[in-house]
Amino acid sequence: MSMRHASFHIKLTTASYKGHSCYFLHFDSMNDQNMLVSAFPSFKWSTHHKLYYVLKKHKPLHVLFSELRRVGCYVDYSEVISKRTPVQAAVKKVLHLPELALKKAKKLDQFERWMLEKRLSKNTITTYIGVTALFLRYLQLKRATEINALWVQRFNHDYVIQQNYSISYQNQCINGIKKYAEFCEVDFVLDSLERPQKPKKLPIVLTKEEVKSILDATHNTKHKTLLALLYSGGLRIGEALTMQVTDVDSKRGLLFVRSAKGRKDRYTLLSTKILILLRHYYKQYQPKTYLFEGRNGMPYSNSSAREALLKSVQRAGITKPGITLHTLRHSFATHLLENGTDIRYIQELLGHKSPKTTMIYTHVSNDCLKNIKNPLDEL
């Protein structure tokens, strides 16, 4: 049964978690949960509530609803709506969009196939389909017959800004519509549309001692090997989960990272310790194709890896907020910098296109900051 034509039932509730307003997802069955969570990286696991959740600021209700409906979900959000007070309801002017016409829905399916052929990532395609569907429904509401810069500006004002959606979501909308215009071979310029800059936040970084305590608290061999590999190679979770057994080059002491972000292959470090751990793991699990396999020989799921990390963090007694699988990659880069590794080599190991991206680690490196003399001490 394909995800696209499956039928799932999800109930949404809302609550505050770690100081953030969230939507919590209640699944009818564990099987439904496992199938869906692997398709939505934005779903996070709450060890306190024992439920998956998504931050409201990252996924407005209509976007979450649209994405879930596209994979065949029946979404019960009555409890979310009932919790809105009259004051809250008055804050936003709700724009009721009509259902997408059949002709436009078929065009949207063609757009999805076109993006697949362009090899855009699954997450990007899902986002672009969601925001473009909203834009097309807005055009139907306004009885507009063409796509142009003026209608994009009006949609941006009437739908995104008036309803106070995030800067990140606003940029996603514009990028998705531009991609759809490219698909439709419609040429227009959006120079007059001001694109707000997203706030630049520094990454969360663990100390070496904290990384060690997390690995020591991970008792499952597969989980320990995966987390250690993410840190020792500075890998993105998607890169680790699609890594094949043959990508481990033990003779050269390197890991081959295939078709990473930007479709670029690269090599990264393979430590002696991780090689010992990998050999022990291989003897126990004997993976066939993918280094970390789940059911039926498919890649291990993102959600299972995320859950394993959160449990280990909890067992290690680390209370630092915002720790994710990507935190291990940030920590790898920061620790290399603190060890004196040239930032150009770190850029290559991480697979960054621009050195500007790698430079962010100079802002979180303790050693770099400690070596700067405070002018007050010289008075």
Side-chain angles (χ1 to χ4, degrees), residues 6-164:
S7 179
F8 307 100
H9 188 285
I10 293 177
K11 181 178 180 180
L12 294 180
T13 58
T14 183
S16 180
Y17 182 53
K18 293 184 177 180
H20 297 286
S21 188
C22 310
Y23 293 117
F24 281 89
L25 300 104
H26 305 256
F27 296 85
D28 260 7
S29 70
M30 187 63 69
N31 186 48
D32 288 356
Q33 176 175 291
N34 293 340
M35 287 184 69
L36 276 165
V37 166
S38 61
F40 291 95
S42 58
F43 292 174
K44 310 295 182 186
W45 177 253
S46 165
T47 51
H48 177 71
H49 293 86
K50 305 298 181 186
L51 291 169
Y52 281 95
Y53 69 95
V54 60
L55 297 180
K56 288 184 180 181
K57 66 179 182 179
H58 291 163
K59 197 76 67 174
L61 180 60
H62 69 279
V63 176
L64 178 61
F65 178 82
S66 178
E67 291 180 357
L68 290 171
R69 287 295 297 152
R70 285 194 62 78
V71 294
C73 290
Y74 170 76
V75 185
D76 177 3
Y77 57 94
S78 56
E79 193 168 324
V80 174
I81 299 299
S82 66
K83 281 194 174 183
R84 290 181 177 178
T85 65
V87 175
Q88 288 175 318
V91 171
K92 292 183 181 180
K93 181 183 177 182
V94 179
L95 198 63
H96 297 288
L97 301 178
E99 286 294 321
L100 195 62
L102 182 61
K103 186 177 179 181
K104 286 186 170 62
K106 288 181 178 179
K107 187 80 171 178
L108 207 59
D109 286 338
Q110 294 170 2
F111 177 43
E112 183 176 9
R113 287 194 293 272
W114 179 78
M115 287 192 288
L116 284 168
E117 290 168 0
K118 294 280 186 183
R119 299 294 185 93
L120 270 67
S121 74
K122 185 193 299 183
N123 292 341
T124 299
I125 291 173
T126 300
T127 301
Y128 284 3
I129 288 292
V131 298
T132 303
L134 292 170
F135 176 63
L136 294 177
R137 290 167 63 192
Y138 174 80
L139 293 182
Q140 279 182 214
L141 179 69
K142 299 298 182 180
R143 302 183 186 277
T145 57
E146 62 177 328
I147 300 172
N148 55 39
L150 180 60
W151 280 118
V152 178
Q153 288 176 321
R154 288 181 175 176
F155 172 73
N156 180 57
H157 178 270
D158 295 347
Y159 195 82
V160 181
I161 295 175
Q162 285 296 315
Q163 300 192 72
N164 198 31

Side-chain angles (χ1 to χ4, degrees), residues 296-307:
N296 304 318
M298 297 301 289
Y300 198 58
S301 73
N302 191 314
S303 58
S304 296
R306 182 169 61 240
E307 188 175 345

Side-chain angles (χ1 to χ4, degrees), residues 335-346 349:
H335 297 161
L336 282 181
L337 186 65
E338 290 176 347
N339 287 343
T341 308
D342 191 297
I343 200 157
R344 290 170 296 179
Y345 293 129
I346 299 175
L349 292 171

Side-chain angles (χ1 to χ4, degrees), residues 99-322:
E99 286 294 321
L100 195 62
L102 182 61
K103 186 177 179 181
K104 286 186 170 62
K106 288 181 178 179
K107 187 80 171 178
L108 207 59
D109 286 338
Q110 294 170 2
F111 177 43
E112 183 176 9
R113 287 194 293 272
W114 179 78
M115 287 192 288
L116 284 168
E117 290 168 0
K118 294 280 186 183
R119 299 294 185 93
L120 270 67
S121 74
K122 185 193 299 183
N123 292 341
T124 299
I125 291 173
T126 300
T127 301
Y128 284 3
I129 288 292
V131 298
T132 303
L134 292 170
F135 176 63
L136 294 177
R137 290 167 63 192
Y138 174 80
L139 293 182
Q140 279 182 214
L141 179 69
K142 299 298 182 180
R143 302 183 186 277
T145 57
E146 62 177 328
I147 300 172
N148 55 39
L150 180 60
W151 280 118
V152 178
Q153 288 176 321
R154 288 181 175 176
F155 172 73
N156 180 57
H157 178 270
D158 295 347
Y159 195 82
V160 181
I161 295 175
Q162 285 296 315
Q163 300 192 72
N164 198 31
Y165 290 126
S166 68
I167 291 172
S168 177
Y169 180 64
Q170 181 176 351
N171 284 322
Q172 285 177 344
C173 284
I174 296 169
N175 290 338
I177 295 167
K178 284 178 70 177
K179 185 61 70 174
Y180 183 72
E182 181 187 338
F183 161 70
C184 295
E185 298 183 345
V186 174
D187 188 23
F188 59 81
V189 180
L190 286 173
D191 290 343
S192 58
L193 185 62
E194 189 172 341
R195 301 286 292 272
Q197 292 293 317
K198 289 196 295 183
K200 294 182 180 179
K201 296 182 180 179
L202 293 177
I204 303 297
V205 173
L206 298 165
T207 64
K208 292 176 184 177
E209 292 74 22
E210 286 173 331
V211 174
K212 185 179 184 303
S213 65
I214 288 172
L215 296 178
D216 289 344
T218 309
H219 308 305
N220 179 283
T221 304
K222 178 186 280 189
H223 295 160
K224 186 171 187 173
T225 307
L226 174 57
L227 297 181
L229 194 74
L230 288 170
Y231 172 69
S232 71
L235 301 175
R236 301 176 179 94
I237 182 59
E239 295 167 350
L241 296 182
T242 55
M243 187 164 283
Q244 299 183 13
V245 175
T246 53
D247 294 336
V248 180
D249 192 340
S250 57
K251 290 182 180 179
R252 297 172 63 199
L254 294 171
L255 276 175
F256 178 58
V257 187
R258 63 177 70 242
S259 297
K261 192 173 182 179
R263 298 182 219 165
K264 294 188 301 180
D265 295 342
R266 74 177 192 277
Y267 280 98
T268 189
L269 305 179
L270 178 68
S271 78
T272 306
K273 284 186 178 180
I274 192 65
L275 187 56
I276 295 169
L277 194 56
L278 277 168
R279 284 170 178 161
H280 178 64
Y281 159 75
Y282 184 80
K283 286 180 182 178
Q284 184 176 343
Y285 287 88
Q286 297 184 346
K288 300 295 186 294
T289 303
Y290 295 103
L291 191 57
F292 299 100
E293 292 179 341
R295 296 177 183 177
N296 304 318
M298 297 301 289
Y300 198 58
S301 73
N302 191 314
S303 58
S304 296
R306 182 169 61 240
E307 188 175 345
L309 173 66
L310 293 177
K311 285 181 178 178
S312 294
V313 168
Q314 192 175 36
R315 279 196 293 264
I318 298 172
T319 57
K320 188 178 290 183

